[in-house]
Amino acid sequence: MAQKRQSVSFAAYIAMAPMALTVLLAYLGTMLWTARVSVSSSRTFPASDFVGASQYIRLFNNERWLLSLQNVALYGVLFIAACLVIGFLLAVFIDQKVMAEGALRTIFLYPYAMSFVATGLIWQWILNPELGIQEVLHKLGWTSAKFDWIVDQDMAIYTIVIATVWQASGLVMALMLSGLRGVDDEIWKAARIDGIPRWRVYTSIVLPMLKPSVSTAFVLLFVMVVKVFDAVVAMTQGGPGTASEVPAKFIMDYLFGRANIGLASAASIVLLLTVLAIVAPLYFVRNRRAAMGA
């Protein structure tokens, strides 16, 4: 029996070897290489010298980079908040045992199956002042109606929020719905007997029980915020001007367009550290709570 167990364990390690090598070489290896390039004077090609934090100083003296950070911070707050609220409300709606529940779940989740490029192109057309909502309103008789956010420097970033919230809310709905389905029916029966309003049950009892689902959704949405690129390129190309510039587009432009891989690598490391600063504490807290619960 012991020999059989050892052979099964050995086979499992063999099966995991390709993924382990992928993680070590494709992920950790490229991270280390990027970190090394970020402290060199590399431009078109990697250099082997060492310039310390020079690239990082140049990065945070770059007005375009600072603008991209401001944009992604505003975008992140609005995107995460809207997705969590809308996703939760959709989950609550479906949890009421509505008719055609399966079809509704598919409809709400379907946008997430689309690529961000497709989403961006769809919403670019919808928000185009000459083709989309504004033009439709004009043809219906509201000739003074104006909805040209996508070409307005002050409003362009909000169009990215609208498009990506439409796409990602379904994912949050699915996560929240799985949590809601785990709530004991006895809680609802007790609440009805005590005459507690339904909204109070959700805010005071159900939402605290959904912390694992909320934290998972938050991490996934936060990673989407850091990675946002496709939708921006498809909708606005970072414009008008640099009004909707985001860090990922900054990195791609400097990596390929301006052939400055040192600066692009420094920006990449900053984003990596930002993700780790948010995700690592959440992971630690969840593991600690799980250990205490066990």
Side-chain angles (χ1 to χ4, degrees), residues 184-196 198 201:
D184 193 341
D185 287 338
E186 295 300 322
I187 294 176
W188 295 109
K189 292 178 182 177
R192 283 196 295 270
I193 293 172
D194 293 338
I196 302 175
R198 201 170 184 83
V201 179

Side-chain angles (χ1 to χ4, degrees), residues 26-46:
Y27 290 97
L28 295 179
T30 53
M31 287 179 193
L32 293 174
W33 185 84
T34 302
R36 174 65 185 89
V37 171
S38 72
V39 293
S40 70
S41 60
S42 303
R43 291 193 65 85
T44 304
F45 299 101

Side-chain angles (χ1 to χ4, degrees), residues 97-147:
K97 307 297 188 295
V98 296
M99 292 180 61
E101 177 184 321
L104 288 173
R105 282 204 309 265
T106 302
I107 291 170
F108 293 146
L109 192 56
Y110 179 74
Y112 186 70
M114 299 172 61
S115 72
F116 278 101
V117 173
T119 297
L121 292 174
I122 291 170
W123 280 94
Q124 181 196 52
W125 179 84
I126 292 174
L127 298 172
N128 188 316
E130 298 179 359
L131 300 172
I133 294 174
Q134 179 173 296
E135 182 63 17
V136 171
L137 292 175
H138 288 179
K139 288 183 177 179
L140 291 174
W142 289 290
T143 55
S144 61
K146 191 174 181 181
F147 193 57

Side-chain angles (χ1 to χ4, degrees), residues 53-260:
S54 297
Q55 296 286 14
Y56 294 91
I57 294 172
R58 287 181 57 207
L59 179 67
F60 283 95
N61 285 330
N62 188 309
E63 292 185 3
R64 184 178 171 188
W65 170 253
L66 296 178
L67 176 62
S68 73
L69 292 180
Q70 293 175 12
N71 284 340
V72 83
L74 174 62
Y75 166 80
V77 170
L78 296 176
F79 171 74
I80 292 175
C83 282
L84 290 176
V85 171
I86 294 173
F88 176 71
L89 293 177
L90 290 175
V92 170
F93 168 68
I94 292 180
D95 193 45
Q96 308 306 308
K97 307 297 188 295
V98 296
M99 292 180 61
E101 177 184 321
L104 288 173
R105 282 204 309 265
T106 302
I107 291 170
F108 293 146
L109 192 56
Y110 179 74
Y112 186 70
M114 299 172 61
S115 72
F116 278 101
V117 173
T119 297
L121 292 174
I122 291 170
W123 280 94
Q124 181 196 52
W125 179 84
I126 292 174
L127 298 172
N128 188 316
E130 298 179 359
L131 300 172
I133 294 174
Q134 179 173 296
E135 182 63 17
V136 171
L137 292 175
H138 288 179
K139 288 183 177 179
L140 291 174
W142 289 290
T143 55
S144 61
K146 191 174 181 181
F147 193 57
D148 59 351
W149 287 10
I150 201 167
V151 295
D152 186 334
Q153 286 193 338
D154 295 327
M155 304 301 292
I157 192 66
Y158 299 104
T159 64
I160 311 297
V161 175
I162 293 171
T164 51
V165 166
W166 173 80
Q167 181 169 21
S169 294
L171 173 64
V172 179
M173 178 271 299
L175 293 171
M176 297 289 190
L177 184 59
S178 65
L180 287 174
R181 291 290 160 85
V183 176
D184 193 341
D185 287 338
E186 295 300 322
I187 294 176
W188 295 109
K189 292 178 182 177
R192 283 196 295 270
I193 293 172
D194 293 338
I196 302 175
R198 201 170 184 83
W199 66 267
R200 186 66 181 272
V201 179
Y202 276 113
T203 56
S204 301
I205 300 175
V206 175
L207 269 177
M209 295 175 66
L210 294 181
K211 281 183 180 179
S213 297
V214 173
S215 62
T216 300
F218 175 83
V219 170
L220 293 175
L221 294 173
F222 180 77
V223 173
M224 289 182 197
V225 169
V226 174
K227 290 168 53 180
V228 64
F229 171 76
D230 296 349
V232 173
V233 172
M235 290 182 68
T236 65
Q237 287 289 331
T242 57
S244 57
E245 181 81 4
V246 291
K249 187 176 184 301
F250 176 94
I251 291 169
M252 297 300 288
D253 285 351
Y254 273 81
L255 185 62
F256 296 107
R258 302 196 178 194
N260 192 334

